[in-house]
Amino acid sequence: MPGLAEPITGSIPESMFKSLFGSDNPWAVILFNDEDHTFDDVAGQLQKAIGCSRDEGYAFAHTVDTEGQATVYKGDLDACERIASVLEEIQLKVKLEVQ
């Protein structure tokens, strides 16, 4: 009986990742609800991350609070990674997703 192949482990090199998913493909930053941050925290960090107004930040925070999550930005992979990094500075829970 032939042996099973060894599983491939490790991470995908960034160049291969970008060739598979491309930075031109539309990506989204999804922000998730948590019980640790206030509306002020979320709105302020969204202002910093995506350049929205305070009112727009509160609108996103309200959506996250009522629906459990919200898409707060769509764009290329590099921009989404930068935005997610800023949101994660205060331990907001985010996910990047191919659209």
Side-chain angles (χ1 to χ4, degrees):
M1 181 171 196
L4 296 174
E6 289 294 315
I8 298 172
T9 59
S11 62
I12 298 173
E14 184 175 342
S15 60
M16 183 183 287
F17 182 81
K18 285 189 176 181
S19 72
L20 290 172
F21 296 107
S23 60
D24 292 336
N25 289 346
W27 284 79
V29 179
I30 313 297
L31 176 62
F32 292 93
N33 191 31
D34 65 34
E35 300 304 319
D36 300 324
H37 296 89
T38 66
F39 275 54
D40 287 335
D41 294 336
V42 174
Q45 202 65 12
L46 283 166
Q47 279 185 286
K48 183 178 175 183
I50 63 174
C52 67
S53 70
R54 192 77 168 166
D55 288 343
E56 290 168 326
Y58 277 106
F60 278 126
H62 177 70
T63 300
V64 169
D65 185 54
T66 58
E67 296 182 21
Q69 67 183 45
T71 300
V72 296
Y73 183 84
K74 289 184 182 179
D76 67 39
L77 177 59
D78 291 335
C80 287
E81 286 176 332
R82 282 190 306 274
I83 288 164
S85 177
V86 172
L87 295 173
E88 290 173 333
E89 287 175 355
I90 65 166
Q91 287 75 48
L92 290 171
K93 293 169 182 61
V94 298
K95 173 177 85 168
L96 299 182
E97 187 175 275
V98 176
Q99 295 293 286

